[in-house]
Amino acid sequence: MISVRRITIYIDGFNLYYALLKPNPAVRWLDLAALGAALRPADTVTVRYFTAKVLSVPDPNSELRQRLYLKAIGTLPNVTVEFGHFTAHQVRMAFVTPPNNGPRTALVWK
């Protein structure tokens, strides 16, 4: 007799977004519950999605896009969203090739 195993898949939302979803709009609305079921069809799968609320700096629409995505995945069975903290701050970074006359650094968000 084969017993059904309980499997939990842990997803880092930041890495998932920047490595897969952002560069591939066709999979932007990836069904995380279906992905888990496809990876382990004989098992009971739960998905824990880890993220942090993004800041609207420098993209003022980022909060809205994230809120919509989190609302959508929140409707999926066996998917829970876990929140951490995201921080951004301004830092000065050197130009790779600085201009002859002008600043040697630029202020960027990191």
Side-chain angles (χ1 to χ4, degrees):
M1 179 169 131
I2 299 175
S3 64
V4 176
R5 291 178 286 190
R6 292 182 300 150
I7 305 293
T8 302
I9 297 174
Y10 297 87
I11 298 177
D12 177 340
F14 185 84
N15 285 316
L16 177 69
Y17 179 75
Y18 283 103
L20 179 66
L21 305 181
K22 186 176 182 182
N24 301 292
V27 295
R28 190 145 306 156
W29 292 101
L30 177 66
D31 182 335
L32 301 176
L35 173 65
L39 291 172
R40 302 299 298 226
D43 300 320
T44 300
V45 178
T46 57
V47 176
R48 293 183 68 188
Y49 181 86
F50 292 83
T51 191
K53 295 204 175 173
V54 298
L55 304 175
S56 60
V57 177
D59 179 358
N61 295 317
S62 59
E63 287 182 74
L64 174 62
R65 287 193 310 271
Q66 184 190 46
R67 192 169 44 249
L68 290 172
Y69 184 70
L70 294 177
K71 185 175 181 180
I73 66 172
T75 66
L76 298 173
N78 301 327
V79 176
T80 59
V81 177
E82 309 286 339
F83 287 98
H85 301 282
F86 176 79
T87 60
H89 57 282
Q90 292 182 342
V91 296
R92 286 218 163 266
M93 298 188 77
F95 284 114
V96 172
T97 308
N100 290 334
N101 297 330
R104 318 259 325 139
T105 62
L107 191 60
V108 298
W109 286 101
K110 186 172 180 183

